[in-house]
Amino acid sequence: MLSIHQMNTYKPLNVAFTHGVGTWLHTTDGRKILDALGGIAVSGLGHAHPKLTKAIAEQAGRLIHTSNLVNIPEQAALADKLCALAAMENAFFCNSGAEANECAIKIARLYGHQRGIANPQIIVMERAWHGRTLATLAATGSRKAQAGFEPLVTGFIRVPYNDLDAIKTIAAHNHDVVAVLSEVLQGEGGIVAARTDYLRELRAFCTEKDWLLMIDEVQSGIGRTGKWFAHQWAGIVPDVMPLAKGLGSGVPIGACLAHGKAATVFKPGNHGTTFGGGPLVSVAALRTLQIMEEEGLLANATAMGNVVADGLKATLAGVAGVVEVRGQGLMLGLELNRPCGEIVEMALEDGLLTNVTQDCVIRILPPLIINEAEAHEMVKRLSTVVKRFLAKASGISIQAA
Ligand SMILES: *Cc1c(COP(=O)(O)O)cnc(C)c1O
């Protein structure tokens, strides 16, 4: 329960955890919960990973914060590492996904102004999620999230997802467009993938128009889908890439990476942050990436993602009410044919932490370290609760009829 002194922004589940070990969380009343949420695609290394814990503790004992007014070698090393993994050129570090997207939006606007466009516009997608700051809220495609916060920041043009013709139609009459901002696998939007052919054509079209292609990998990045970044499945390289969630394994850090023309837009004074990319968070992120390599977590995300997805498909085959299992790696969605928010509490009773997005999509984002036995256990617990929910829901509708 929230204290009366906590602002009324969340309706948390009636549970709290004292500690975690790997893919498991321990409740204050002594229960063990299997984590299919991963702190919302954050805790890729699971909980209390010994190598990460050690690195963070050692760095905290040396130096936590200095500021961007001095050199931060740990941040430089992280930038080098991320750019190598992403084939990008440079990085700005911040503290959240919304801030990483703010940085992308500012790059796009300044890029436009530098090219003589006084009123630069960014194309964004229906059902997109980019954050809750004022600019990213305007870029986000959720009226529910926006309602009441008007006037919204202007400069965004919304199009349907996976629809290049809609973008080309805008390009034909609007000469103020400077960028396209999109996820390649929508998370909050319900685990919806962009088609590979669409992404490749969009990449070519942005290049042709001199627009920046800005791929928001805040949720899908850092190995979640089985590649470092989800767009790499399509073999494309974006001009700008916001990152956050999994980057620091729970230590708050975001980044905005840039490539080509986008990499030379900012000059000193254009953007900044007090906390971003400090020694502690940079070490946490760099060590996260190294541990992911040492432990082969990209391959594990693909393999365990297949175990979970195939397992759910098999156990739920033919069950009325189950629409689809979709996604990639360990970013999966299970869509039901009815709103199923209440399944989150039912699952918790059964020892499973999960989440529902877009009312009908159960979202599965476990730690990337999950092992095969745990993946099977996740399938068992999830399919059981889905069947229990659907039986209950259809019982009610029969009674109602
Ligand atoms: C979560 C998310 C954000 C916002 O990140 P915050 O850290 O909550 O500000 C932005 N984009 C995508 C794709 C996300 O999933």
Side-chain angles (χ1 to χ4, degrees), residues 96-98 101 129-131 183 188 216 218-219 245:
S96 68
N101 276 276
W129 190 269
H130 300 297
E183 297 147 272
E188 307 301 310
D216 181 349
V218 167
Q219 189 161 154
K245 290 198 167 86

Side-chain angles (χ1 to χ4, degrees), residues 17-30:
F17 303 111
T18 51
H19 64 289
V21 182
T23 312
W24 297 86
L25 287 161
H26 294 255
T27 69
T28 47
D29 56 2

Side-chain angles (χ1 to χ4, degrees), residues 10 40-42 95-101 128-133 136 140 182-189 216-220 242-245 253-254 331 363:
Y10 279 92
I40 321 181
V42 167
N95 314 287
S96 68
E99 276 180 276
N101 276 276
W129 190 269
H130 300 297
R132 289 186 184 268
T133 59
T136 60
T140 287
S182 177
E183 297 147 272
V184 293
L185 179 54
Q186 289 184 331
E188 307 301 310
D216 181 349
E217 291 266 11
V218 167
Q219 189 161 154
S220 56
L243 293 174
K245 290 198 167 86
I253 179 168
M331 186 166 169
R363 196 159 45 148

Side-chain angles (χ1 to χ4, degrees), residues 144-163:
K144 207 166 105 189
Q146 291 171 342
F149 299 105
E150 299 82 1
L152 296 178
V153 172
T154 58
F156 298 101
I157 302 171
R158 197 167 308 283
V159 297
Y161 196 52
N162 268 325
D163 185 349

Side-chain angles (χ1 to χ4, degrees), residues 101 104-105 108 111 121-125 130 139 155-157 159-164 166-168 170-171 176-183 198-199 201-203 205-207 209-216 238-242:
N101 276 276
I105 292 164
Y111 169 77
Q121 305 289 310
I122 299 171
I123 294 179
V124 292
M125 304 296 142
H130 300 297
F156 298 101
I157 302 171
V159 297
Y161 196 52
N162 268 325
D163 185 349
L164 193 63
I167 292 175
K168 286 186 171 170
I170 289 163
D176 288 336
V177 175
V178 293
V180 174
L181 172 62
S182 177
E183 297 147 272
Y198 161 82
L199 286 173
E201 287 167 20
L202 177 62
R203 171 67 279 181
F205 191 66
C206 286
T207 303
K209 303 299 287 183
D210 257 344
W211 295 352
L212 302 181
L213 177 58
M214 311 203 294
I215 301 290
D216 181 349
D239 301 298
V240 178
M241 176 170 69

Side-chain angles (χ1 to χ4, degrees), residues 41-277:
V42 167
S43 312
L45 301 182
H47 305 286
H49 192 294
K51 291 180 191 167
L52 181 69
T53 305
K54 183 164 177 280
I56 291 174
E58 285 177 0
Q59 184 59 41
R62 277 194 297 270
L63 196 57
I64 292 175
H65 175 77
T66 52
S67 84
N68 283 295
L69 303 181
V70 302
N71 287 315
I72 305 175
E74 298 82 2
Q75 180 189 121
L78 176 61
D80 293 347
K81 181 71 186 172
L82 276 174
C83 287
L85 296 177
M88 302 287 278
E89 280 169 52
N90 53 28
F92 175 85
F93 293 97
C94 53
N95 314 287
S96 68
E99 276 180 276
N101 276 276
E102 286 278 341
C103 180
I105 292 164
K106 285 181 73 174
I107 289 174
R109 285 187 169 193
L110 192 52
Y111 169 77
H113 283 279
Q114 288 169 354
R115 288 153 40 88
I117 298 172
N119 188 24
Q121 305 289 310
I122 299 171
I123 294 179
V124 292
M125 304 296 142
E126 288 175 2
R127 291 202 185 177
W129 190 269
H130 300 297
R132 289 186 184 268
T133 59
L134 285 171
T136 60
L137 183 66
T140 287
S142 163
R143 274 306 299 157
K144 207 166 105 189
Q146 291 171 342
F149 299 105
E150 299 82 1
L152 296 178
V153 172
T154 58
F156 298 101
I157 302 171
R158 197 167 308 283
V159 297
Y161 196 52
N162 268 325
D163 185 349
L164 193 63
D165 285 340
I167 292 175
K168 286 186 171 170
T169 302
I170 289 163
H173 64 82
N174 188 320
H175 303 294
D176 288 336
V177 175
V178 293
V180 174
L181 172 62
S182 177
E183 297 147 272
V184 293
L185 179 54
Q186 289 184 331
E188 307 301 310
I191 312 293
V192 187
R195 296 189 322 271
T196 299
D197 62 321
Y198 161 82
L199 286 173
R200 289 178 183 161
E201 287 167 20
L202 177 62
R203 171 67 279 181
F205 191 66
C206 286
T207 303
E208 183 192 318
K209 303 299 287 183
D210 257 344
W211 295 352
L212 302 181
L213 177 58
M214 311 203 294
I215 301 290
D216 181 349
E217 291 266 11
V218 167
Q219 189 161 154
S220 56
I222 316 294
R224 176 77 18 211
T225 68
K227 289 213 186 265
W228 283 108
F229 308 103
H231 68 263
Q232 291 174 331
W233 288 107
I236 60 167
V237 178
D239 301 298
V240 178
M241 176 170 69
L243 293 174
K245 290 198 167 86
L247 179 55
S249 297
V251 171
I253 179 168
C256 183
L257 274 59
H259 178 259
K261 291 166 294 196
T264 54
V265 170
F266 281 158
K267 300 285 179 289
N270 287 141
H271 198 43
T273 167
T274 300
F275 289 126

